[in-house]
């Protein structure tokens, strides 16, 4: 009688299953070993803790403070506190240079203005930073228009009346700006060129002292933001004669534009945008951008901006860089036309 060969039970599927499980466990162990101690998957790049400093190049009390404090309320739970750090002086360049050299960890950002980031490259021969090459754009948060504000004793209630009065003044008329090489300054230069005036520029270190002096009559005229003009009107010490948009500001619907006043080439808007130091890691910049954009688009922030003469924007880096390049070329042409060179 032949013996039948012993049939061995196959174990290959079970073995393969065990190997797959062990491989998965091993892969997880390797990943855990490679990950920094104490980190977890999908951990935010920035966690609430150390405050984030937002450097602003003008003294406290202006619209830039309003914007950043409004955003701070919206992001405090996700990013922690945003602290306004006013670094006035040198028309805002002190703040820009401080952020350029700050640690690229997301804890120091700049609130850049159209002046700092698009005018200064043409205004200053030896600018110590390149707005496009030295920073990471986060978000273009808000835009605004400007307005011609005059002291109440100026004998003019319209732009044409102001121009006629300014032409007759012996020695000319002075006008204030919130900084040399800023939109405030160049709106005055644009009006000089358009209307054939010879107004003398008086630069201030920010909007607050300029507002104080135009309300006090130290200077007869000042080119401020629409929001700043709105803040001064209740005092009864100033008049607003024109705004700089291509159409009337919804915040001042009764005030004509410069174009309506016969100055067809006097149109200017400006903006506030946030930037990080160049080497800030992409995940950090992306998180800041997402939170800032969420805040700008929130109902509460939008209301506060509109109440202070600003319009929410929320543009990302590509759109912001496009705006920067276009504005840089436009302002460079204006500076060349008036032969302007800022003094360092």
């Amino acid at each position: 009688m032949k013996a039948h060969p012993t049939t061995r039970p196959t174990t290959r599927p079970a073995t393969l299953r065990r190997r797959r499980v062990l491989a998965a466990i091993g892969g997880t162990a390797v990943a855990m070993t490679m990950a920094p101690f104490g980190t977890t998957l999908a951990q935010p790049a920035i966690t609430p803790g150390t405050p984030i400093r937002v450097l602003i190049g003008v003294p406290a009390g202006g619209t830039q403070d309003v914007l950043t404090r409004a955003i701070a309320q919206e992001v405090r739970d996700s990013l922690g506190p945003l602290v306004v750090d006013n670094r006035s002086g040198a028309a805002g360049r002190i703040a820009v240079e401080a952020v350029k050299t700050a640690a690229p960890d997301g804890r120091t950002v700049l609130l850049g203005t159209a002046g700092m980031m698009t005018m200064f490259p043409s205004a200053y021969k030896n600018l110590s930073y390149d707005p496009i090459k030295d920073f990471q754009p986060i978000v273009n948060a808000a835009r605004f228009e400007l307005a011609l504000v005059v002291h109440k004793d100026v004998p003019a209630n319209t732009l044409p009346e102001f121009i006629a009065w300014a032409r007759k003044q012996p020695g000319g008329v002075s006008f204030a700006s919130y900084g040399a090489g800023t939109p405030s300054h160049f709106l005055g230069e644009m009006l000089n060129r358009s209307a054939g005036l010879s107004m003398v520029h008086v630069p201030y270190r920010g909007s607050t002292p300029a507002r104080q002096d135009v309300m006090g009559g130290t200077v007869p005229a000042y080119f401020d933001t629409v929001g700043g003009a709105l803040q001064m009107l209740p005092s009864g010490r100033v008049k607003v004669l024109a705004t700089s948009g291509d159409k009337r500001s919804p915040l001042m619907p009764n005030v004509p534009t410069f174009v309506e006043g016969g100055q067809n080439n006097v149109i200017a808007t400006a903006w506030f945008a946030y930037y990080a130091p160049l080497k800030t890691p992409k995940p950090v910049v992306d998180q800041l951008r997402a939170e800032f954009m969420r805040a700008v688009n929130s109902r509460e922030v939008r209301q506060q901006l509109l109440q202070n003469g600003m319009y929410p924007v929320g543009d990302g880096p590509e759109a912001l860089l496009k705006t920067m390049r276009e504005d840089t070329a436009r302002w460079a042409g204006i500076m060349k036309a008036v032969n302007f060179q800022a003094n360092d």
Side-chain angles (χ1 to χ4, degrees):
M1 185 177 178
K2 292 184 178 180
H4 295 283
T6 304
T7 303
R8 296 181 181 177
T10 179
T11 58
R12 185 169 298 172
T15 301
L16 289 174
R17 282 194 298 272
R18 284 196 299 271
R19 287 176 180 170
R20 289 169 181 158
V21 171
L22 289 172
I25 295 173
T28 302
V30 171
M32 292 176 66
T33 301
M34 293 175 66
F37 179 77
T39 61
T40 59
L41 295 177
Q43 182 181 15
I46 297 177
T47 55
T50 305
I52 296 174
R53 292 184 306 138
V54 180
L55 270 67
I56 294 176
V58 295
T63 51
Q64 298 179 49
D65 281 19
V66 171
L67 169 61
T68 297
R69 295 185 194 283
I71 289 176
Q73 293 296 315
E74 292 296 315
V75 303
R76 63 176 182 263
D77 291 337
S78 56
L79 296 177
L82 261 61
V83 178
V84 173
D85 186 348
N86 295 94
R87 299 284 186 94
S88 61
R93 287 174 292 156
I94 292 173
V96 184
E97 291 163 0
V99 174
K100 174 186 173 181
T101 58
D105 57 6
R107 296 295 179 184
T108 304
V109 299
L110 171 73
L111 180 58
T113 67
M116 295 171 177
M117 310 308 275
T118 66
M119 295 181 172
F120 289 4
S122 298
Y124 293 92
K125 286 184 178 179
N126 301 309
L127 195 64
S128 62
Y129 63 89
D130 185 307
I132 292 178
K133 294 180 179 179
D134 290 338
F135 300 91
Q136 292 230 37
I138 299 174
V139 62
N140 191 346
R143 69 176 178 85
F144 57 95
E145 296 149 349
L146 294 99
L148 169 57
V149 182
V150 299
H151 186 261
K152 65 179 180 62
D153 291 340
V154 170
N157 293 312
T158 66
L159 179 62
E161 289 175 358
F162 173 80
I163 292 171
W165 171 77
R167 286 173 177 163
K168 296 176 182 177
Q169 301 312 300
V173 171
S174 60
F175 76 91
S177 79
Y178 50 70
T182 64
S184 171
H185 171 195
F186 281 105
L187 183 57
E189 298 292 357
M190 289 168 72
L191 182 59
N192 266 347
R193 184 173 175 79
S194 175
L197 299 178
S198 300
M199 295 186 296
V200 178
H201 176 223
V202 181
Y204 280 76
R205 293 180 60 177
S207 57
T208 301
R211 289 170 190 163
Q212 291 171 346
D213 276 7
V214 74
M215 286 191 292
T218 303
V219 287
Y222 170 41
F223 292 90
D224 199 0
T225 64
V226 167
L230 283 170
Q231 292 179 25
M232 290 186 281
L233 277 177
S235 71
R237 292 186 284 172
V238 297
K239 297 177 284 190
V240 180
L241 303 187
T243 58
S244 69
D246 56 0
K247 56 186 177 182
R248 293 194 182 193
S249 169
L251 300 172
M252 289 186 168
N254 296 325
V255 178
T257 64
F258 285 95
V259 172
E260 289 179 279
Q263 307 305 312
N264 294 333
N265 296 319
V266 184
I267 300 175
T269 59
W271 40 264
F272 296 135
Y274 291 95
Y275 298 84
L278 179 62
K279 294 184 179 179
T280 306
K282 186 177 184 299
V284 173
V285 176
D286 288 346
Q287 185 183 355
L288 288 170
R289 180 177 301 121
E291 292 300 328
F292 281 22
M293 290 183 77
R294 179 183 62 79
V296 167
N297 288 313
S298 69
R299 186 176 55 126
E300 292 78 9
V301 171
R302 295 176 74 87
Q303 287 178 343
Q304 289 192 54
L305 295 187
L306 290 170
Q307 289 170 3
N308 286 275
M310 294 175 277
Y311 305 94
V313 178
D315 281 347
E318 293 81 11
L320 174 54
L321 286 171
K322 181 175 182 291
T323 296
M324 289 172 64
R325 291 188 175 100
E326 290 175 350
D327 284 3
T328 297
R330 178 167 60 93
W331 290 118
I334 293 171
M335 291 184 206
K336 184 177 180 180
V338 301
N339 195 29
F340 172 79
Q341 188 69 58
N343 296 319
D344 289 318

